[in-house]
Amino acid sequence: MNRFCRLAFAALIPAAALSLGASGSWAQTQSPAPAASASPQPAPSASPSPAVSASPAPVATPSPAASASPSPSPAAPPAAATTPAPVQIADPFGLETALEPKKVVMVKGTANWDSAFDTLVDAFKALNALLDKQGIKHAGNSMIVYTSTDDTGFTFLAEIPVEQDPKNLPKDMSVGKSPEGKALKFVHRGSYDNMDNTYEAITNHLDDKKLEAKDTFIEEYLTDPLKTAEDKLVINVFVPLK
């Protein structure tokens, strides 16, 4: 809209200038006074004759010059507003990265696959309750470290990065370090139940690249699993390499 206003205003400037120039060019011409006819002078008489009063010549009324009506300049059409299309940036898939160790408070747990996500959420709830009670803030995203898996379920560590050590920890909780070292980074978007598709793609990627992974893998929850709808989850999956 601002661009259209500027263009329309600029289109009016030539027309206004032309109109102003024409109005100042009135012709100020006057018709010349008629020449006095030469009449013979009478012979002087004894009594002096009164002086003849000269009538002033009539002043001609100036006729205005015909002003040319300027044709208005057509306003420039507004420029079509173009909205750039959003750039779609693909999530990294198999990006080589180096995990930096972080201080974390963690809780151990076991889960079966049928109720896996509910079990993980309960573990995060227990850790958050402890930290909230002691006024300790998160220093990073919540993580799940899978320590072993089988056909029925898995064992895990639920971890939350912190900058200070919590006190009076329950027996199943501890303070430690998150995994470190060389790993591949993948991204999952959607529900936890659909992560099988992501892990199948990860397995195919490792086979294609002939890479050998360790027996553990890490999920970093970029969205808070306690507040985010399950189908809106965004999770980084890190696969440590041997």
Side-chain angles (χ1 to χ4, degrees), residues 53-74:
S53 59
S55 300
V59 179
T61 304
S63 58
S67 60
S69 300
S71 57
S73 301

Side-chain angles (χ1 to χ4, degrees), residues 99-206:
L99 297 174
E100 298 292 338
K102 301 178 181 178
K103 178 188 291 187
V104 296
V105 56
M106 66 183 75
V107 60
K108 297 179 181 180
T110 59
N112 57 55
W113 294 114
D114 293 337
S115 59
F117 187 69
D118 292 336
T119 303
L120 299 182
V121 168
D122 288 341
F124 285 135
K125 284 181 178 179
L127 291 173
N128 275 279
L130 173 72
L131 297 178
D132 290 344
K133 185 177 180 179
Q134 299 187 24
I136 299 176
K137 296 182 179 180
H138 293 202
N141 297 315
S142 302
M143 294 180 288
I144 294 293
V145 179
Y146 294 82
T147 54
S148 67
T149 61
D150 57 30
D151 292 340
T152 59
F154 56 91
T155 61
F156 66 92
L157 292 171
E159 302 180 350
I160 295 179
V162 292
E163 293 182 351
Q164 63 185 92
D165 294 346
K167 302 176 181 178
N168 304 320
L169 293 175
K171 292 182 179 180
D172 59 344
M173 293 186 185
S174 60
V175 175
K177 293 288 185 180
S178 64
E180 61 180 304
K182 182 180 178 181
L184 297 182
K185 177 183 177 180
F186 305 85
V187 179
H188 170 81
R189 294 179 182 272
S191 69
Y192 185 88
D193 291 339
N194 288 336
M195 290 196 70
D196 287 346
N197 296 329
T198 300
Y199 280 107
E200 182 178 358
I202 292 173
T203 301
N204 293 336
H205 180 81
L206 295 175

